[in-house]
Every structure is written in structure tokens, then in C-alpha cells.
Amino acid sequence: MTRIYKSALWIAFAGVLWGLDSIIRVPTETKVSPQTIFFFEFLIGWIFIAPVAFIKERNNIFRLNGTQWARLAFLGIVGTTLGNVLFSTAVHNSGVALATAVQMTQPLFVAMGAAYFLREKKYTYFAPLAVLGVLNAVIMSVPSFSFGFSQLSPDADPTMGVLCSFTAMIFWGASTLFGKSLLNDLPPLVIVFWRWLFAAVTALVILKINAVPVDFAELLQAQVLLPVVLLGTVAGSVAMLIYYQGLRNIPASLATFVELVYPLTALVISMLTNPGQTSFLQAFAAVMVVSSIALMLKLEQDLESKKKGQVSN
């Protein structure tokens, strides 16, 4: 298997783990506040990987220059904690459907950013395939384009929700670009170590500023603690570590489309848990998303093979 396909599999695996997030998070947020969950999931995720980082990368953890420190801080503070808080706010104000639809445009932002900032060169058919993939990802997530505004709480502000979702999308997209640039010099384990530590500290500050009470008796109950541990590890730091393992060897502009496995996973789980709820349009859009990703990978592999052939000649 080639480098491109191996890297895509790593990212797809991370996408599957991220797909478990909403299934775990939504019912847990009925018992504990989102801000509390954010802090403890980041803290647990960091504690989970910290010993491994100190053992395997103890010579690299603190050997960072100013630019690397700044980018790692951005990943943790902005791309992780603030991005999650903004998206949670977006869901409250505009509903899951609209917030998700806005998020599905992230690959286009990352692709443009990668072309400008990372100087990634793409093949001729990348742009139409990118648009096709994003349009079908939106259809797959919101097939009826019914955003359910009537079901929102009285204090909801859909305009604010769209703004928060768009800002979160920019933060997460920029994090992909910064993460890709950091992988040129740093191991994935070092990046995740600092990203989750910065995220946990920021989440703690938000808890204190908002004076959110933490009910440890509730938090330590199995039906709350286990989901938070899973969010922090399996769907958190471990998934990000797997993602970076793939991102280090694949263009960011391609990786961002492979990430669409995340909403695909959510759709598959929905099909399994709620048979008959998935429409034909959703299924067709999902097939189109997979086809777009597969064709992108094939063309990227052909481009890489052509470059190697030119070098050998």
C-alpha cells in the first residue's frame, strides 16, 4: 500500500472515532454542563497520553521555538477549546442541522488555505471534485434542508448560531493548517501533548470565569464518568494522535476531505440505530462523498507517481 493510501486510512480511522463523539456527548450533556465536560475530557485526554509523551519524546517536548509555541497555543486555546465552545453555542442557537451544514464547508477553506500558506499544488480536477464532495456532504447531513428552527429554545438566536458555527469552522480549519506545518518538525505525540494541555487550561479558565459549579458526585457516576473518559481518550487525544499520524504524510488539502468520514460514520450509526430514517437522497449523497474522496486519492497518487518518475529520469 502506498504512502497516500496508508495516510488516508489513518485519517479515516480518526474520523470514525470522531463520529462517536456526538453519540456519547449529547446524552451526557443532559447530566453535566458542556463546559464541565470540555474541561474534564481535555484533562483526561492529556493525562492519558502524557506518560507516553514523557517516555518516548522527553527530548523533544520542550525543544520548541517561538513560532512552534505560538502555533501549539493556537491549536489548544483556539482550535480545540474555543472551537468546541463556539460549536456548542451554535447548536443551541441554530440547531444541529444548520450548525453541521456550515461545518461541512470546512474542506473548501482548508484547501484554499493550504494552496496559499502551505503552497500545496493540486491537479486540474481538484476544484470540481472538492465542490462536489462538500455539496454532497451538506446534503448527506441535512437532506431536507429543514433546520428545525421551530424546535429551538425561546432564547435561541439563529444568526448568532450561524456566526458561531462559521467561526468554529475557521478555527478548526486553521488548526489543520497549523498542525500540518508543525508536523514538518515535531512528532505527533508532542503536538497532541501540548494541544491538549493548552485546551485543558483554557477550559478551566472558562469554567472559572463563568462560575460553572462542578458536581463531583454527579461527575463520578458511571453513566457520566465513562462517557467523559471516552470523549477524552478514544474520541479525543487518541483520535487526534491517529489523525496526525496520517496528516504528516498527506497534503492538508486532501486530508480535510478524508475527514468527511466523520459525518459518514454518524450517518452509518444512525442507519444502524434508526432503520428506515435514512432517505435515498442521504444514501446517494454519501456514495458521492465516498466517490469524490476515492477519486481525489487516486489522482493524488497518480500525481505523486508522476513526480517520482520525473525525478528518477
Side-chain angles (χ1 to χ4, degrees), residues 85-104:
V85 169
L86 283 169
F87 187 73
S88 178
T89 304
V91 170
H92 172 76
N93 282 282
S94 61
V96 175
L98 185 54
T100 301
V102 173
Q103 287 302 312
M104 291 301 99

Side-chain angles (χ1 to χ4, degrees), residues 307-313:
K307 289 178 180 178
K308 288 182 178 179
Q310 290 174 346
V311 172
S312 62
N313 291 333

Side-chain angles (χ1 to χ4, degrees), residues 11 110 120 176 243 246-247 250-260:
I11 294 170
V110 174
E120 291 184 1
T176 298
Y243 172 74
L247 182 62
I250 197 172
S253 53
L254 184 56
T256 189
F257 285 93
V258 180
E259 286 180 51
L260 291 176

Side-chain angles (χ1 to χ4, degrees), residues 189-232:
L189 194 54
V190 171
I191 299 174
V192 177
F193 174 90
W194 286 113
R195 179 170 184 168
W196 251 247
L197 182 56
F198 277 120
V201 172
T202 307
L204 178 60
V205 170
I206 292 174
L207 269 180
K208 294 299 183 181
I209 290 176
N210 293 324
V212 178
V214 178
D215 186 346
F216 285 98
E218 182 74 32
L219 186 66
L220 292 175
Q221 291 183 11
Q223 63 266 36
V224 174
L225 183 60
L226 180 58
V228 172
V229 170
L230 292 175
L231 287 171

Side-chain angles (χ1 to χ4, degrees), residues 82-163:
L82 295 185
N84 283 8
V85 169
L86 283 169
F87 187 73
S88 178
T89 304
V91 170
H92 172 76
N93 282 282
S94 61
V96 175
L98 185 54
T100 301
V102 173
Q103 287 302 312
M104 291 301 99
T105 64
Q106 180 178 319
L108 295 179
F109 171 76
V110 174
M112 290 187 290
Y116 184 80
F117 294 106
L118 302 180
R119 299 291 188 267
E120 291 184 1
K121 304 295 183 183
K122 306 312 298 178
Y123 42 82
T124 307
Y125 297 105
F126 179 83
L129 283 174
V131 173
L132 179 66
V134 167
L135 284 176
N136 279 282
V138 172
I139 293 171
M140 179 181 67
S141 302
V142 196
S144 64
F145 291 96
S146 174
F147 299 115
F149 291 147
S150 60
Q151 300 175 5
L152 297 177
S153 62
D155 65 333
D157 182 349
T159 302
M160 177 60 71
V162 171
L163 181 61

Side-chain angles (χ1 to χ4, degrees), residues 42-102:
F42 297 146
L43 179 63
I44 291 170
W46 180 78
I47 291 173
F48 187 77
I49 66 162
V52 182
F54 278 118
I55 293 171
K56 296 191 65 175
E57 302 292 349
R58 58 185 177 276
N59 295 325
N60 298 315
I61 287 179
F62 298 100
R63 290 184 178 179
L64 306 169
N65 58 41
T67 300
Q68 290 169 337
W69 277 117
R71 291 179 177 178
L72 287 167
F74 179 92
L75 290 180
I77 298 170
V78 179
T80 305
T81 303
L82 295 185
N84 283 8
V85 169
L86 283 169
F87 187 73
S88 178
T89 304
V91 170
H92 172 76
N93 282 282
S94 61
V96 175
L98 185 54
T100 301
V102 173

